[in-house]
Amino acid sequence: MLHILIVDDNPTDRLLVKRELEQEIPELQVTEVVDKNEFFDAIANKSFALVVTDYQLRWTNGLEILTAIKSRYPDCPVIMFTNSGNEEIAVAAMKAGLDDYIVKSPRHFVRLRVAVQGALERVAARRQEARLENRLQLLLENLNVGVFSSTLDGYLLESNQAFLNLLGVSNLTEAQAVNLRQLFSQLFPVGTPLLTSTEVSRGKSQKAQEISIPQADGQSKWVLLTQYLNTNDDEGLIDDIVEDITALKQAELALRQLNETLALRVQQRTAELEDVNSQLEAFAYSVSHDLRAPLRAIESFAQILLDSYRTQLDASGQNYLDRIRRTAVLMNTLIENLLDYSRLSRSKLPLEPINLNAVIAEALTQLAEELKNKHARVTVAGTLPTVVAHHDTLLRVLINLLTNAIKFVAPGVQPQVRVWAEEVEEDRLDMGDKEDKGNISTSPTPHTPPSQSIRLWIEDNGIGIPEKYHQQIFGVFERLHGEETYPGTGIGLAIVNKGVERMGGRVGVESSLNQGSRFWIQLSKA
């Protein structure tokens, strides 16, 4: 509800004013004043937003009404609506703070509405501006950053309390007694912080400088002085911000020292790792030669005893010797697999385009005798694409997967293996971590897969793997079956996982118990 005060002793004119304003302001409350007592009662406790007054009144005139309103309420808009004034009166009223002067006539009634709306909008704008200015002033006073303005010759115009604290003074008058250029030249001997006249003439409008301030205790305080050149009525002014950055400088120094320390620690750790790797290589060499030699002797002598003295041994003796020989063979295979796994972890694997058809054919050739013995059937669907991989590592991975595919089948079942490949988009690559059961996510490698990858599938008709073991089977020495049922070392799938990981890819399985398995490896498309 908008409350307006109308001061006019003519009831007809008051009615016209009300009708005009009600067309512009639907929710309008009007107080009408016709004499001196009513006027002073109305302004005693201001509740109106605007005053419309006539000039010629029986008990006073519009100028006195204007003066009385403005003396009490300087921000209250006053509009003079009269037909008894003149240009001289209008000028005097405008100088006294009148918001608008309108001649009473039917053709000017519309202008009254516009004048009222404009006056109210200006009041609202001034109040908003005052609120913003107060908020800005409050913000500047509460900032822990010095803010001040000065002339080009270094005379301080205004500042906040933080800057006064920096100068060691209590008010602006004390601060203005000192020339800032002289003050700063004493505080900051490394250079004059104020924008020079040469910089101003060249059009430079901003300057930032980090400055060290010596302290009485021998320490130094760092500040960042940022200056902005502003022009006001062609007069150059400089707005300045002084921020204490001592803590930041100390943090930068600490970080630099930490980086130097870390670099030294990295060098030391690298040297330690190189030493450990050398020891591992020496250990692997020792295992490969010194440990496997006795195993070969055990296997050989057990075979000699079986070949030469079989008839002199009863069934139990023959069984014991055969177990010794087979255990030695298994132990030798286990050591060989561990060495392969260790080499995969340490060796550099140069990646290159590899044709999957060629490497699958090579793997099947090496497994030809085993495939024949098990009457296994392997089908390669279509022409396989080319991937980015390491030939020998990929060959070993495929041999291990194909070997498992024909080994883990139910008794009396002919192994049936199907191999095929498909392209996988990058967003499906991301989905794979959530959708593919048993997926083994790998750590980043030097080779980042492009937007398209190749997923090679090896599907079998074997005994299947329960879902709870889909991730477990890719670990070292993880076996789900006894040696008597399905012989092996328990390292084959760990080698598969490590090899694919070193080639920048991933590996996983989809399987259910007694439903066969579908192993997949995913590599970058060449």
Side-chain angles (χ1 to χ4, degrees):
M1 181 69 71
L2 184 66
H3 189 187
I4 291 181
L5 181 66
I6 299 178
V7 183
D8 198 324
D9 49 22
N10 188 321
T12 302
D13 289 345
R14 294 198 303 270
L15 179 60
L16 290 173
V17 170
K18 287 174 59 178
R19 289 185 59 187
E20 288 298 322
L21 296 184
E22 285 173 349
Q23 296 182 44
E24 183 70 22
I25 307 170
E27 296 183 357
L28 182 66
Q29 178 184 352
V30 176
T31 298
E32 301 179 22
V33 173
V34 298
D35 59 34
K36 181 178 180 179
N37 292 334
E38 289 181 353
F39 174 70
F40 283 105
D41 287 343
I43 67 173
N45 184 16
K46 177 181 178 289
S47 60
F48 47 86
L50 181 138
V51 177
V52 178
T53 182
D54 193 1
Y55 175 74
Q56 189 64 46
L57 301 166
R58 287 191 300 271
W59 47 280
T60 187
N61 62 62
L63 286 177
E64 292 184 356
I65 296 294
L66 173 64
T67 301
I69 294 294
K70 291 295 183 179
S71 63
R72 285 176 176 255
Y73 314 113
D75 294 333
C76 180
V78 178
I79 296 175
M80 192 173 292
F81 187 55
T82 182
N83 58 5
S84 58
N86 54 44
E87 184 177 348
E88 183 179 351
I89 293 174
V91 172
M94 298 300 285
K95 289 182 178 179
L98 186 70
D99 287 84
D100 211 336
Y101 184 93
I102 302 172
V103 177
K104 279 184 182 179
S105 68
R107 62 190 183 91
H108 289 135
F109 286 164
V110 174
R111 187 176 165 222
L112 176 62
R113 284 183 279 165
V114 175
V116 168
Q117 191 65 35
L120 293 174
E121 290 176 355
R122 288 193 295 273
V123 169
R126 286 197 297 268
R127 289 175 179 171
Q128 178 66 12
E129 182 180 353
R131 283 195 295 267
L132 292 176
E133 185 175 353
N134 290 335
R135 289 175 60 188
L136 177 60
Q137 191 63 34
L138 182 62
L139 176 63
L140 290 177
E141 288 302 324
N142 287 279
L143 274 178
N144 193 24
V145 175
V147 180
F148 66 96
S149 295
S150 66
T151 61
L152 293 179
D153 58 1
Y155 180 75
L156 180 64
L157 299 175
E158 56 183 349
S159 74
N160 68 345
Q161 187 60 44
F163 182 68
L164 297 180
N165 296 338
L166 177 66
L167 295 182
V169 298
S170 58
N171 55 61
L172 182 62
T173 303
E174 293 181 15
Q176 287 174 332
V178 182
N179 184 283
L180 293 181
R181 185 178 296 280
Q182 296 176 355
L183 176 66
F184 283 144
S185 64
Q186 295 172 4
L187 286 179
F188 312 134
V190 296
T192 303
L194 295 176
L195 284 167
T196 65
S197 57
T198 302
E199 291 172 329
V200 172
S201 64
R202 290 177 180 175
K204 188 170 184 179
S205 61
Q206 180 179 347
K207 182 178 181 180
Q209 185 175 355
E210 292 182 356
I211 304 166
S212 176
I213 309 175
Q215 302 293 295
D217 58 0
Q219 302 295 321
S220 294
K221 176 183 290 186
W222 281 91
V223 298
L224 175 63
L225 178 65
T226 306
Q227 300 175 298
Y228 303 89
L229 175 64
N230 292 318
T231 56
N232 184 14
D233 296 331
D234 297 329
E235 180 184 0
L237 300 176
I238 298 178
D239 294 328
D240 305 75
I241 299 176
V242 181
E243 182 180 1
D244 188 347
I245 58 171
T246 304
L248 178 61
K249 282 292 184 180
Q250 292 173 346
E252 289 178 354
L253 177 61
L255 180 60
R256 185 164 57 250
Q257 294 174 344
L258 178 61
N259 286 337
E260 293 173 355
T261 303
L262 287 177
L264 180 60
R265 291 177 60 186
V266 167
Q267 293 177 357
Q268 295 173 345
R269 183 60 59 87
T270 301
E272 293 173 358
L273 289 175
E274 290 176 350
D275 182 58
V276 170
N277 283 334
S278 298
Q279 295 180 23
L280 286 175
E281 290 179 1
F283 175 74
Y285 179 85
S286 174
V287 169
S288 178
H289 291 77
D290 300 340
L291 186 58
R292 294 174 70 186
L295 285 174
R296 287 194 298 269
I298 294 172
E299 178 189 354
S300 299
F301 283 117
Q303 188 64 47
I304 291 173
L305 285 173
L306 285 172
D307 293 342
S308 302
Y309 300 96
R310 182 180 297 270
T311 57
Q312 301 179 28
L313 296 172
D314 58 12
S316 295
Q318 295 178 21
N319 181 48
Y320 293 152
L321 275 178
D322 187 57
R323 288 194 175 198
I324 292 173
R325 183 191 62 80
R326 284 189 285 109
T327 301
V329 171
L330 177 62
M331 188 64 180
N332 188 62
T333 304
L334 177 61
I335 293 173
E336 183 178 350
N337 288 344
L338 284 174
L339 290 173
D340 289 342
Y341 186 84
S342 176
R343 281 192 291 267
L344 277 176
S345 301
R346 295 181 288 108
S347 303
K348 292 183 179 180
L349 302 182
L351 305 181
E352 60 181 348
I354 301 293
N355 184 277
L356 284 176
N357 281 107
V359 74
I360 286 287
E362 189 173 351
L364 293 177
T365 299
Q366 293 193 24
L367 294 173
E369 184 175 353
E370 190 172 353
L371 294 172
K372 181 180 178 181
N373 292 338
K374 292 183 176 292
H375 304 287
R377 180 181 178 183
V378 179
T379 302
V380 180
T383 301
L384 303 179
T386 300
V387 297
V388 177
H390 180 256
H391 176 273
D392 293 346
T393 302
L394 180 58
L395 178 62
R396 184 61 183 270
V397 165
L398 294 176
I399 288 177
N400 283 3
L401 290 176
L402 290 169
T403 300
N404 282 354
I406 65 176
K407 178 170 66 174
F408 292 100
V409 293
V413 176
Q414 180 190 21
Q416 301 281 344
V417 182
R418 181 171 174 262
V419 180
W420 80 95
E422 62 177 343
E423 287 192 7
V424 181
E425 295 294 337
E426 185 176 6
D427 48 2
R428 180 177 167 184
L429 238 168
D430 297 335
M431 293 293 292
D433 290 339
K434 301 176 182 178
E435 294 179 351
D436 293 323
K437 299 176 180 178
N439 178 64
I440 303 299
S441 58
T442 60
S443 57
T445 62
H447 176 76
T448 302
S451 59
Q452 288 186 328
S453 297
I454 299 299
R455 182 170 285 190
L456 181 71
W457 295 85
I458 298 178
E459 182 179 16
D460 62 52
N461 62 337
I463 58 177
I465 304 167
E467 184 177 340
K468 63 180 180 179
Y469 298 120
H470 283 186
Q471 294 188 27
Q472 177 181 334
I473 59 174
F474 290 96
V476 180
F477 298 125
E478 293 292 345
R479 294 179 53 87
L480 303 184
H481 310 282
E483 172 69 21
E484 296 80 6
T485 308
Y486 296 103
T489 61
I491 306 178
L493 288 178
I495 292 176
V496 168
N497 181 45
K498 178 61 68 174
V500 173
E501 176 185 315
R502 291 299 311 280
M503 293 186 291
R506 298 185 299 167
V507 61
V509 63
E510 296 178 0
S511 181
S512 299
L513 189 62
N514 300 321
Q515 299 296 321
S517 301
R518 296 199 310 169
F519 282 85
W520 55 265
I521 61 173
Q522 191 160 303
L523 298 169
S524 299
K525 181 180 179 182

